[in-house]
Every structure is written in C-alpha cells, then in structure tokens.
Amino acid sequence: MRLGCVKGYCGPFKISRLFWIDGGREVLPEDDVERAGAFEDCALQLQCAQRVLTNYLEKYARDCNNDGITNCTDYLMINFNGGYQCSPELDRNEAGKSFARRFDRCYNK
C-alpha cells in the first residue's frame, strides 16, 4: 500500500482534500474535522480512508457507461473521472487506460 502524501494526494487510495470533503469529511475517532491535519490523518489510516471512499461512491453512484446497471465498472469510472462527470471513457488517455488495466488485473482474478 502507498502511504504518505504526495502533491496533495494521501494514503493508500491517494485521496485529495476535495475528495475527502465530497466523501463526508470523515475523521479519526476523537478528532475534529476543523483541525489542521484531520484530512491527512484520516486519508493515511486505512479504515478512515475506506469510509471516505465508500461515502464518495455512494454519493455519486450512477450508471456511467449507460448499460442499464450500476456496477464495479461504473464505480471505477466515478473514481477516475469524478462524481460529477463519470461518463467519459477511460481509454481516452494513457492514465485512464492504466487505471482500467490495474482494475482488470484485480477484478478478473
């Protein structure tokens, strides 16, 4: 797992501050959402980061590829493209292709 913060993206899921806000501003137990460092501490802690990711995906859940169902492919598109504009195909650029390949390797095991 990748830990630490690099260029504003933190923890094993590389969560940004805006993603954290959209994901409900989760914090560690006994922490204060307004405390400087609360975002980073949550994003670096696996369970807290998982809550942020789950909240974000639940908030923006939709059928991004218009196949009539909302499934893992749609969540992949939401995670890569963002919740407000999840429909662009992942194969439109190398970053999207790489993201989809990593997903396929894991999902198709």
Side-chain angles (χ1 to χ4, degrees), residues 42-43 61 74 96 108:
C42 175
D74 300 296
N108 293 321

Side-chain angles (χ1 to χ4, degrees), residues 28-87:
L28 296 174
E30 309 300 320
D31 203 348
D32 177 1
V33 72
E34 300 299 330
R35 181 185 66 81
F39 147 66
E40 292 86 351
D41 288 347
C42 175
L44 292 169
Q45 200 272 341
L46 183 60
Q47 290 79 18
C48 194
Q50 285 173 326
R51 289 194 309 272
V52 172
L53 184 60
T54 299
N55 291 345
Y56 186 91
L57 293 175
E58 287 175 352
K59 178 178 180 177
Y60 293 107
R62 64 181 48 94
D63 180 16
C64 300
N65 61 357
N66 297 311
D67 67 355
I69 55 173
T70 302
N71 61 18
C72 289
T73 301
D74 300 296
Y75 291 119
L76 174 73
M77 294 173 77
I78 291 165
N79 195 37
F80 184 79
N81 291 321
Y84 293 109
Q85 56 183 14
C86 68
S87 61

